[in-house]
Amino acid sequence: MRTRRAAVVSALAAMSMLAVGACGATAEKKGTGNSDEPVTGLRIMVPNTPGGGYDTTARTAAKVMEDTKIASGVQVFNLPGAGGTVGLQRTVNEKGNGKLAMQMGLGVVGASYASKSKATLSDTTPIAKLMEEAGAIVVPKNSPYKTIDDLVTAWKKNPKGIAVGGGSSPGGPDHLLPMQLAKAVGIEPKEVNYIGYDGGGELLPAILGNKIAFGASGFGEFLDQIEAGQVRVLAVTSEKPVQALKDAPTLKSSGIDLVFTNWRGIVAPPGISDADKKVWVDSLTAMHDSKEWKAELTKHGWTDAFTAGDEFATYLTEQDKAVADILTELGLA
């Protein structure tokens, strides 16, 4: 495993009341050759609060599937709790339910270990990885820290006195990022004063309200506030500068040897039929191939990193091991 690097919007429409068969969705996706009708009956669970990265990704995916007539009546709903593991447990409990899928990502991988969840991602049916997103170190507009160097200098002097917030519980990407950043600049990770929030929807008010000194999360969750001048980005965690944040330096260009990338994907309950799995994979693949999705990737500053089916299953297994190793090092797994 590479050191210091981890490859780490209300419901859009009411769910269609058309009858569904016992196996789940009523039709193959539009354009597969099996039916000219959109898929109906699909539901996507978001395992944290509205307004965060998972929520934005799920609702964006649902909207694109609706707009392109790949699917109709896609329902997105939130079931927050325990860093996403409440939703994970619900997904595992819905064995055989081919109409349901859960929006997830690196955060759920970590939370499953940190919270000692009985339900694990190995119990689910991997569907697709949708995108990757660089992290960002952000401060409120009135912060005394004007550069990442300013922040690091103060942080090293008083690690416990400078609170960092993230939109995930221990083990999630927003927790792993500041821990790895601390290690990269010579701070003992166990000295970090990390405050976890349940998603970006709760993290943002903490940043704007000066309840924390800085935030560490996916930059896409703050784009509106960045553009409005309410939040400033001190650095991004990608290998190269982010197009949506042209003035923000990377950590590497600032002399900090760290690259960190978050990702998000979709899993379904265990035991779903091959036909239902194909509906999900084909629908998300068609969504990914659409110009509408490409436009959303650009809008949100997301990196296209789509993989589906068995390829995503392999990736998920690799990520699971990598996160377990990191959390073990931090004494959290």
Side-chain angles (χ1 to χ4, degrees):
M1 186 178 67
R2 293 167 291 182
T3 58
R4 310 203 203 286
R5 178 174 182 138
V8 190
V9 135
S10 72
L12 296 169
M15 183 175 70
S16 172
M17 296 305 293
L18 294 174
V20 297
C23 66
T26 61
E28 293 295 340
K29 73 175 178 64
K30 186 178 180 68
T32 63
N34 298 309
S35 173
D36 290 330
E37 297 301 318
V39 176
T40 60
L42 300 182
R43 307 175 73 219
I44 303 175
M45 179 202 305
V46 176
N48 56 20
T49 54
Y54 288 168
D55 191 66
T56 300
T57 305
R59 296 186 188 280
T60 299
K63 183 178 186 302
V64 171
M65 285 194 287
E66 293 269 359
D67 291 348
T68 56
K69 299 186 178 359
I70 293 167
S72 175
V74 181
Q75 182 189 31
V76 178
F77 67 100
N78 300 79
L79 184 64
T85 57
V86 170
L88 176 59
Q89 184 66 65
R90 165 73 178 275
T91 302
V92 172
N93 290 347
E94 292 277 346
K95 182 177 181 179
N97 184 352
K99 297 179 292 183
L100 178 70
M102 181 179 76
Q103 177 69 64
M104 51 75 70
L106 184 58
V108 177
V109 178
S112 66
Y113 282 100
S115 67
K116 307 296 190 292
S117 172
K118 292 182 179 179
T120 68
L121 285 161
S122 63
D123 297 324
T124 67
T125 301
I127 300 297
K129 174 185 173 186
L130 302 182
M131 43 71 76
E132 291 180 348
E133 180 184 49
I137 304 302
V138 301
V139 295
K141 64 179 181 180
N142 59 349
S143 170
Y145 311 120
K146 305 303 181 184
T147 67
I148 190 67
D149 287 339
D150 292 343
L151 174 61
V152 169
T153 297
W155 197 23
K156 291 174 72 173
K157 289 180 180 178
N158 187 15
K160 292 184 177 181
I162 295 183
V164 50
S168 60
S169 57
D174 293 2
H175 170 253
L176 295 173
L177 171 52
M179 295 302 159
Q180 292 195 45
L181 177 58
K183 192 171 181 180
V185 300
I187 296 172
E188 171 56 49
K190 292 183 179 180
E191 295 290 304
V192 175
N193 180 9
Y194 176 80
I195 301 175
Y197 296 87
D198 198 354
E202 291 188 3
L203 172 61
L204 182 59
I207 296 172
L208 298 177
N210 293 291
K211 294 181 180 179
I212 53 178
F214 69 102
S217 190
F219 74 86
E221 302 194 27
F222 310 117
L223 280 177
D224 290 343
Q225 289 72 32
I226 293 168
E227 292 174 359
Q230 297 175 308
V231 170
R232 289 189 286 111
V233 180
L234 299 186
V236 291
T237 67
S238 50
E239 184 80 39
K240 299 179 180 179
V242 173
Q243 185 175 2
L245 302 171
K246 295 180 180 179
D247 296 330
T250 64
L251 290 173
K252 291 192 73 173
S253 70
S254 302
I256 300 172
D257 187 18
L258 176 64
V259 174
F260 184 96
T261 305
N262 190 13
W263 58 270
R264 300 188 192 114
I266 297 282
V267 297
I272 67 170
S273 69
D274 290 343
D276 282 337
K277 179 179 178 180
K278 187 175 189 300
V279 168
W280 278 107
V281 170
D282 287 355
S283 297
L284 291 171
T285 299
M287 178 206 73
H288 164 260
D289 293 343
S290 70
K291 67 180 187 298
E292 289 83 356
W293 178 251
K294 291 177 173 56
E296 292 293 343
L297 290 173
T298 299
K299 174 183 175 181
H300 294 284
W302 296 336
T303 299
D304 187 2
F306 187 85
T307 59
D310 291 343
E311 188 176 354
F312 176 51
T314 298
Y315 178 83
L316 191 54
T317 298
E318 293 171 348
Q319 286 288 290
D320 189 76
K321 183 181 184 306
V323 170
D325 290 345
I326 294 171
L327 293 181
T328 297
E329 182 180 348
L330 292 172
L332 296 173

